[in-house]
Amino acid sequence: GQNIDQPTEMTATEGAIVQINCTYQTSGFNGLFWYQQHAGEAPTFLSYNVLDGLEEKGRFSSFLSRSKGYSYLLLKELQMKDSASYLCAALDSNYQLIWGAGTKLIIKP
Amino acid sequence: NAGVTQTPKFQVLKTGQSMTLQCAQDMNHEYMSWYRQDPGMGLRLIHYSVGAGITDQGEVPNGYNVSRSTTEDFPLRLLSAAPSQTSVYFCASSYSNRENTGELFFGEGSRLTVL
């Protein structure tokens, strides 16, 4: 079956760095997405990886290892507004997204 | 630019009632989809469409109907509401499901409670 695993909840301190991991098992693979979702709001796109390696976008970076079925989202210089859920999703061979349950990130002052 | 617009934002139904969630996008996107989001679970695809006149089932289609008569609109119909359909529903669109990015643009969500 197809499956996405990510931690349910993580806590970090304002100004610090946090890494949110995601492992996936899908029928075929056409890319890995990260979305941010603030409580009560819609998900918004953060990043897309299809090749191995690190993609950096400001304070956020996303890494992919296709051979290991693994990705992580790295958030630097954490701000209180980064408190949100982070959703990992893999695009399968039918170009459908398989979603993880999300990681709730709590930022403490 | 409105993006993806969903209505209503909140709705309470009684078991057996029917209703339609509206979704419209003004970005000329070919791909539109409906998801439901439940606590502790990932987003689950209900139905999707890759263009006007074309619809297909997702992971959890039972109890829902869709149509795509225009590129802009993609309504979701609940035929006979059940308590198991209590959820937050999101409409999402993208330029093309098969392009490299496949970035989805989501509506604000519709919170549905079935009593």
Side-chain angles (χ1 to χ4, degrees):
Chain A
Q2 307 200 98
N3 192 51
I4 304 281
D5 283 319
Q6 52 181 131
T8 303
E9 187 174 297
M10 298 181 70
T11 302
T13 304
E14 189 178 15
I17 299 173
V18 70
Q19 177 175 311
I20 303 173
N21 295 325
C22 169
T23 58
Y24 62 89
Q25 289 179 303
T26 55
S27 303
F29 179 76
N30 283 298
L32 194 290
F33 293 81
W34 285 96
Y35 283 79
Q36 181 189 58
Q37 185 177 25
H38 285 102
E41 298 183 7
T44 55
F45 171 81
L46 284 178
S47 68
Y48 169 75
N49 295 66
V50 67
L51 300 177
D52 285 355
L54 187 69
E55 297 270 349
E56 298 186 70
K57 192 184 292 186
R59 293 188 300 113
F60 291 11
S61 302
S62 56
F63 171 84
L64 176 67
S65 169
R66 294 177 66 130
S67 62
K68 296 182 179 178
Y70 167 70
S71 173
Y72 68 73
L73 181 69
L74 190 71
L75 290 74
K76 302 176 184 177
E77 301 170 12
L78 285 170
Q79 302 175 7
M80 296 304 293
K81 67 178 182 180
D82 297 330
S83 293
S85 289
Y86 291 86
L87 313 181
C88 174
L91 199 60
D92 71 9
S93 58
N94 293 320
Y95 291 89
Q96 295 299 337
L97 282 168
I98 310 301
W99 295 84
T103 298
K104 182 178 181 181
L105 178 63
I106 300 168
I107 309 297
K108 295 186 174 180
Chain B
N1 195 344
V4 180
T5 304
Q6 270 183 251
T7 57
K9 288 187 170 52
F10 300 94
Q11 183 73 49
V12 179
L13 291 177
K14 295 181 179 178
T15 297
Q17 286 185 316
S18 62
M19 76 157 299
T20 300
L21 298 178
Q22 302 290 346
C23 177
Q25 53 89 10
D26 61 359
M27 297 174 282
N28 202 32
H29 284 172
E30 291 295 325
Y31 180 85
M32 296 187 73
S33 56
W34 277 102
Y35 285 93
R36 59 178 290 172
Q37 187 174 41
D38 301 292
M41 303 181 71
L43 288 163
R44 290 186 291 170
L45 182 65
I46 304 170
H47 285 284
Y48 66 98
S49 168
V50 297
I54 306 169
T55 63
D56 209 343
Q57 296 181 350
E59 179 186 357
V60 288
N62 292 343
Y64 307 94
N65 272 355
V66 291
S67 59
R68 186 89 180 274
S69 56
T70 66
T71 299
E72 294 76 22
D73 300 300
F74 191 47
L76 177 72
R77 297 181 185 86
L78 279 70
L79 309 173
S80 177
S84 60
Q85 293 179 305
T86 293
S87 187
V88 179
Y89 292 84
F90 287 103
C91 179
S93 72
S94 73
Y95 175 69
S96 170
N97 198 34
R98 288 181 174 268
E99 292 297 323
N100 268 347
T101 63
E103 173 189 347
L104 287 175
F105 294 82
F106 285 84
E108 293 183 346
S110 300
R111 185 174 294 274
L112 175 67
T113 301
V114 182
L115 303 175

